[in-house]
Amino acid sequence: MPSPEPPHPELSSTVERSRLEAQRRSDLVAERVRTEPASLCVLTGDRPTGPLHLGHLFGSLGNRVRLQQAGVPTMIIIADYQVITDRAGTDRIAEHVRDIVCDQLAVGIDPAKSTMFTHSAIPELNQLLLPFLSLISIAELQRNPTVKAEAAAAGISAISGLLLTYPVHQAADILGVGGTVVPVGLDQLPHLEVTRLLVRRFTEAYGPCFTAPEALLSEAPVVLGIDGTKMSKSRGNAIELRHTADETAALIRRARTDSDRRITYDPQRRPEVSNLVLITSLCTGEEPRAIAERIGDGGAGALKQLTIAAVNEHLAPIRARRRELAAVGDDVLQVVRDGNVVARARATATLDRVTEAMGMIY
Ligand code: TRP
């Protein structure tokens, strides 16, 4: 795969500068996680569009558990209304919510330390949207690169009002429950910028009500699916946490590779082979290059055997816990019911401050 042409030189240096600035700020947040975890509040979450997979585990879930263990109060949204930003209908949504709850508990999210809640149970978050929507123009929303990319990824030509306002919903999610730290990938930064912009404008218009949240940039590498494109719930290319060891083996055996027998770690020129090496490395902790060298001329077959063993071994305890949780049935959702009470109390308190700041006390 050829690496993409750099954009216009001036633009690329602007992008580079803002990336460095984002990294610098994120490093400061990481430092505060170490020194004063209890003073922060992480807000993070997922849309319940399907079960979580290896990409989530190494990209966001592992980090989520680390933040929780570091003592940062953590709020985890299950963004059910946002499922319909880029697809029609809520097919199997209850099942997806249950899957996500089981996945997170299985990887180590502890309900005593982290609060899991569903967007639809917190109407106050949607009420916050009204003042927020008054503070941003349609042109600004239309310029948001993350929304454009999400629409393109979903193959959507007509962007709905809900998708266009997605970053504003996200701002309401974050600010409504008092999130001050949001773990993101670089691609999600523009969303968070909208939240920070809304805080500035709200403060100018009505006085201080919110603290602008900071991005905590993820260091996680992008994990590809078995077809060589980004691992994704909707592409059918994912190794899911809930899969069995046999299903995992069958999937990895089908993974795309290339015709060069010698195994090397070269993500730019050999993305598919390197991805299998990377997944193995993430599971075992061994350096990718050392793994590739060890296999050498063994070919893709030997690499796949190694990857299968590494993934299945790493996931075995997670899967065992997940099976126990899934066997509990709908009772596992009690965690969310409890979380909803906590999140709703926080959102109600925020909305009270907002309506007061806006003079709507009658
Ligand atoms: N956008 C996230 C996703 O697509 C889910 C989400 C909704 C979220 N609201 C949020 C993440 C607020 C962080 C903060 O999976």
Side-chain angles (χ1 to χ4, degrees):
M1 209 168 55
S3 52
E5 286 291 310
H8 189 269
E10 242 168 68
L11 180 65
S12 87
S13 75
T14 313
V15 170
E16 179 62 11
R17 261 204 308 281
S18 61
R19 198 186 61 78
L20 286 175
E21 169 63 13
Q23 187 62 56
R24 193 188 60 79
R25 299 176 68 107
S26 169
D27 291 345
L28 290 175
V29 179
E31 181 58 29
R32 290 180 64 199
V33 167
R34 277 188 293 276
T35 55
E36 42 167 350
S39 74
L40 306 170
C41 175
V42 164
L43 188 283
T44 179
D46 306 275
R47 297 187 305 150
T49 52
L52 301 180
H53 52 63
L54 272 190
H56 295 112
L57 180 63
F58 295 124
S60 52
L61 294 180
N63 199 26
R64 226 171 260 183
V65 174
R66 272 192 297 280
L67 286 164
Q68 171 195 275
Q69 295 313 96
V72 186
T74 301
M75 306 287 294
I76 303 174
I77 187 167
I78 302 175
D80 48 1
Y81 263 122
Q82 291 160 7
V83 166
I84 47 175
T85 50
D86 65 358
R87 65 201 72 204
T90 51
D91 196 28
R92 295 165 64 198
I93 191 141
E95 186 188 325
H96 292 330
V97 168
R98 220 179 77 175
D99 272 332
I100 286 201
V101 172
C102 290
D103 288 333
Q104 306 208 56
L105 294 174
V107 299
I109 293 299
D110 175 357
K113 297 180 178 144
S114 299
T115 304
M116 255 189 261
F117 65 101
T118 47
H119 183 178
S120 59
I122 324 291
E124 290 76 13
L125 298 181
N126 293 332
Q127 194 169 330
L128 277 179
L129 268 185
L130 298 183
F132 287 175
L133 283 171
S134 77
L135 296 168
I136 191 157
S137 72
I138 298 233
E140 285 170 317
L141 290 171
Q142 281 168 336
R143 273 201 298 273
N144 185 296
T146 311
V147 165
K148 283 192 207 161
E150 276 164 10
I156 291 175
S157 50
I159 293 182
S160 71
L162 189 67
L163 180 53
L164 185 66
T165 54
Y166 193 162
V168 188
H169 280 270
Q170 227 169 268
D173 299 341
I174 297 165
L175 300 173
V177 298
T180 56
V181 174
V182 184
V184 287
L186 266 180
D187 59 325
Q188 294 280 319
L189 267 183
H191 269 352
L192 198 62
E193 277 312 311
V194 172
T195 303
R196 296 172 56 85
L197 177 75
L198 288 169
V199 170
R200 279 199 299 279
R201 290 187 181 161
F202 189 96
T203 307
E204 266 165 41
Y206 305 108
C209 238
F210 300 108
T211 309
E214 295 286 345
L216 183 61
L217 285 175
S218 145
E219 286 161 24
V222 173
V223 175
L224 306 179
I226 57 163
D227 58 355
T229 70
K230 185 174 172 188
M231 193 176 280
S232 154
K233 282 180 272 199
S234 47
R235 285 195 189 126
N237 65 358
I239 299 165
E240 296 172 4
L241 301 182
R242 62 164 188 175
H243 280 149
T244 63
D246 287 345
E247 285 167 333
T248 303
L251 269 169
I252 294 176
R253 267 189 226 109
R254 274 195 2 239
R256 265 183 75 157
T257 52
D258 56 42
S259 55
D260 188 349
R261 203 172 158 76
R262 182 163 185 78
I263 300 304
T264 53
Y265 184 66
D266 185 352
Q268 287 294 323
R269 291 188 15 238
R270 300 183 70 189
E272 293 99 351
V273 162
S274 302
N275 183 55
L276 291 176
V277 176
L278 173 67
I279 289 175
T280 310
S281 159
L282 289 167
C283 290
T284 62
E286 190 183 354
E287 281 298 312
R289 276 176 226 293
I291 295 170
E293 254 167 54
R294 204 146 51 76
I295 304 171
D297 287 326
L303 171 59
K304 286 181 178 178
Q305 279 312 319
L306 205 64
T307 307
I308 290 168
V311 170
N312 281 341
E313 192 182 319
H314 186 67
L315 292 186
I318 294 174
R319 285 170 165 168
R321 269 199 301 279
R322 200 188 182 290
R323 271 195 303 276
E324 279 169 30
L325 289 160
V328 171
D330 275 345
D331 285 353
V332 84
L333 293 175
Q334 191 55 42
V335 169
V336 174
R337 296 184 197 115
D338 295 344
N340 285 342
V341 174
V342 174
R344 190 150 191 208
R346 294 178 72 121
T348 304
T350 305
L351 189 60
D352 284 349
R353 273 192 284 120
V354 165
T355 44
E356 194 184 333
M358 295 177 77
M360 295 166 162
I361 306 290
Y362 319 115

